[in-house]
Amino acid sequence: MKDGLRKNDIVTLTVENHAGDGQGIAHLSDGRVCFVALALPSEVVEARLLKVGKSAAWARTERVLTASPARITPDCPHFPKCGGCRTRHMTYEEECAAKRQKVEDALKRIGGVDLGVSVILGAENTLRYRNKVQFPVSKDGEIGFYRARSHDVVDVEDCLLQPESAGRIRRAVKGYLARFGVSAYDEAAGQGLLRHLYLRFNSKGQALCCLVVNGEKLPHEEELVEALRAAESGLVGVLLNVNTADTNVVLGERYRTLWGEDALEETLCGLTFRLSCPSFFQVNRAQTEVLYRKALEFAALTGRETVLDLYCGIGTIGLTMAAHAGQVVGAEVVPEAVEDARGNAVRNGVQNARFLCGDAAEAARTLAAEGLRPDVACVDPPRKGLSEEVPALLAEMGPKRIVYVSCDPATLGRDVKRFAAVGYEARQAVAVDLFPRTEHVESVVLLSQKD
């Protein structure tokens, strides 16, 4: 090993930059890059080496010798043990600056595009903004969040990203488990009942509670419902989800309503959407409106255009664009989401939008065969980005503008490079912080046909 450096050695490091995930970047004495947890640019820290590789090392800050002006005292007692937040040791201004740089760097290094990210649109509220919570349950009955890069559950009494009602529901479920001796799921053995506690909330203060179980039912279900209703006045429904598969996927395919409603309603950009448990909906409603306004601005609609909305989910982006377009055609691979999108169109009186079921590539081929020639395409893929063939298929359809909404800068950069190969150039890019105090960031990029 170079310099004889080994795991658990203490080294003094000068931090040079953000790594994009709450870590700082430094270099060891032999030149190897070192990613340092809980360290900020310009700081000098004593760090413990956690892993030493041939070309890089990873370390954890043990003592700050020279502190950055951006360093603050974390406001959560679970930080950094809980893996949910990564940036509670820095000011929010520093976090936003790091996230803007993260998107710009990905576009340049991965996408080959020297395009400045003009701004990051930060959140007015960085506390209790999440409208969905997935609490894993450990085999010992602890309910909380996974420790970073592990499946060890940290028992979290209260999370500052979640509504306070999440904590009340969590405590009621813990009480139920203890009262009736209900087993929790053991991943290694594949045994035990309760796997996850899955919660949704809306801006009216209503809550939907779903218990994910390794079986068909829970014991004493009536008493469970009574305990939940007593704990949370905003509760409108309790569901049971059956997931008996040996998988890391949280939700199974079958649901049973134990009491009340099986969905919530939420307003977004003046429209009303139905949110069932599996529905995809951005977790930060206020910042989603900021994100969609920017996407609409980049689309530059005049009321006559045909808009293709790939990866449309329950129709949120497409339906917000429909009032400004001639027609919107959405496509989504999840059948339940397509049904929700169609229902949301009816619910909001939108008559110039239609939705079909199929993956993005299949839908693009089908629509091209129909003769659809969109003026604008909007894509909002999952974290893994676009399917490899989608950029070329879209290019064949010939939209003048493509609006790419991304939740992962790395796959955004990769896809921007693919679009460049088929004649589309990135013109504008903006970052939007939907996930304050975490490592994640959304962005919107406008691509248009090259001259």
Side-chain angles (χ1 to χ4, degrees):
M1 194 66 66
K2 296 179 183 178
D3 267 9
L5 292 173
R6 300 181 183 282
K7 180 179 178 180
N8 288 323
D9 284 353
I10 301 294
V11 294
T12 299
L13 299 170
T14 300
V15 184
E16 302 153 19
N17 207 340
H18 286 287
D21 57 358
Q23 300 185 96
I25 297 177
H27 284 84
L28 300 177
S29 56
D30 60 13
R32 275 177 294 178
V33 67
C34 185
F35 300 95
V36 192
L38 305 177
L40 302 178
S42 80
E43 291 190 329
V44 179
V45 301
E46 284 185 352
R48 182 181 300 275
L49 294 175
L50 304 177
K51 181 180 178 181
V52 182
K54 291 183 179 179
S55 60
W58 289 261
R60 179 184 64 234
T61 300
E62 297 286 314
R63 189 158 70 105
V64 179
L65 303 178
T66 304
S68 163
R71 178 172 287 278
I72 60 174
T73 301
D75 54 356
C76 175
H78 305 293
F79 180 85
K81 289 185 293 184
C82 167
C85 292
R86 297 290 182 88
T87 59
R88 290 199 172 275
H89 59 301
M90 67 181 79
T91 63
Y92 185 54
E93 292 75 18
E94 183 75 5
E95 176 186 339
C96 284
K99 288 179 173 179
R100 188 203 64 79
Q101 190 66 48
K102 179 179 182 178
V103 177
E104 187 169 287
D105 287 349
L107 287 170
K108 186 172 185 177
R109 288 187 298 102
I110 304 172
V113 178
D114 194 8
L115 175 68
V117 175
S118 60
V119 70
I120 180 167
L121 303 173
E124 290 186 11
N125 184 13
T126 63
L127 296 173
R128 304 198 184 279
Y129 60 82
R130 285 189 63 95
N131 55 41
K132 185 180 78 171
V133 187
Q134 295 176 169
F135 284 122
V137 183
S138 76
K139 63 181 180 181
D140 300 319
E142 294 180 333
I143 302 177
F145 298 105
Y146 291 127
R147 195 182 304 273
R149 299 177 179 87
S150 81
H151 269 206
D152 297 334
V153 176
V154 177
D155 203 54
V156 175
E157 181 65 25
D158 181 37
C159 173
L160 297 178
L161 301 186
Q162 325 294 348
E164 291 181 354
S165 53
R168 293 191 288 268
I169 294 172
R170 172 194 165 277
R171 288 189 290 274
V173 172
K174 285 201 74 172
Y176 157 79
L177 294 177
R179 178 184 174 191
F180 295 106
V182 178
S183 63
Y185 185 66
D186 181 343
E187 279 187 324
Q191 297 177 344
L193 272 177
L194 187 59
R195 300 177 67 139
H196 277 81
L197 176 60
Y198 184 102
L199 309 175
R200 276 196 180 278
F201 308 92
N202 65 12
S203 54
K204 295 179 181 179
Q206 295 176 325
L208 190 68
C209 174
C210 178
L211 297 106
V212 183
V213 298
N214 178 41
E216 298 292 330
K217 62 180 181 179
L218 284 168
H220 302 282
E221 290 178 348
E222 290 185 6
E223 289 88 342
L224 169 62
V225 169
E226 289 174 3
L228 290 168
R229 293 182 67 186
E232 178 48 48
S233 60
L235 191 67
V236 298
V238 180
L239 290 82
L240 184 144
N241 174 262
V242 176
N243 185 356
T244 57
D246 181 13
T247 176
N248 287 331
V249 176
V250 174
L251 294 173
E253 296 183 356
R254 289 188 289 127
Y255 294 84
R256 181 161 58 87
T257 302
L258 304 184
W259 169 80
E261 304 295 325
D262 64 355
L264 293 176
E265 282 196 348
E266 182 59 288
T267 57
L268 184 72
C269 298
L271 301 175
T272 300
F273 295 91
R274 180 182 183 273
L275 305 181
S276 60
C277 273
S279 299
F280 174 78
F281 193 78
Q282 295 281 10
V283 299
N284 186 332
R285 173 183 171 274
Q287 284 296 93
T288 299
E289 293 193 334
V290 173
L291 179 73
Y292 286 5
R293 283 197 295 269
K294 182 55 66 174
L296 184 60
E297 176 189 323
F298 280 3
L301 302 176
T302 65
R304 299 184 298 272
E305 292 84 359
T306 294
V307 176
L308 173 59
D309 179 17
L310 290 183
Y311 306 90
C312 71
I314 62 172
T316 49
I317 292 181
L319 292 174
T320 58
M321 289 188 174
H324 308 273
Q327 67 166 327
V328 171
V329 180
E332 168 61 48
V333 71
V334 180
E336 295 85 356
V338 175
E339 288 304 310
D340 282 345
R342 292 167 178 165
N344 287 327
V346 173
R347 184 173 289 105
N348 290 283
V350 177
Q351 298 182 342
N352 63 333
R354 67 184 176 103
F355 299 93
L356 62 136
C357 188
D359 69 31
E362 175 189 337
R365 291 190 187 96
T366 300
L367 293 168
E370 289 181 7
L372 185 78
R373 294 293 179 265
D375 303 289
V376 176
C378 182
V379 294
D380 183 10
R383 198 168 300 281
K384 64 183 179 180
L386 301 177
S387 301
E388 185 174 358
E389 61 269 44
V390 166
L393 289 170
L394 278 178
E396 290 177 13
M397 300 177 82
K400 297 180 181 67
R401 294 178 298 283
I402 296 173
V403 180
Y404 192 136
V405 178
S406 168
C407 61
D408 186 89
T411 54
L412 170 67
R414 179 202 67 197
D415 291 340
V416 163
K417 192 170 187 177
R418 289 173 175 171
F419 274 117
V422 293
Y424 283 83
E425 186 173 17
R427 306 285 190 180
Q428 290 179 265
V430 169
V432 185
D433 189 22
L434 265 71
F435 316 102
R437 297 336 216 162
T438 78
E439 64 185 287
H440 304 296
V441 61
E442 292 269 333
S443 51
V444 189
V445 172
L446 171 64
L447 301 109
S448 60
Q449 292 173 330
K450 294 179 181 179
D451 295 335

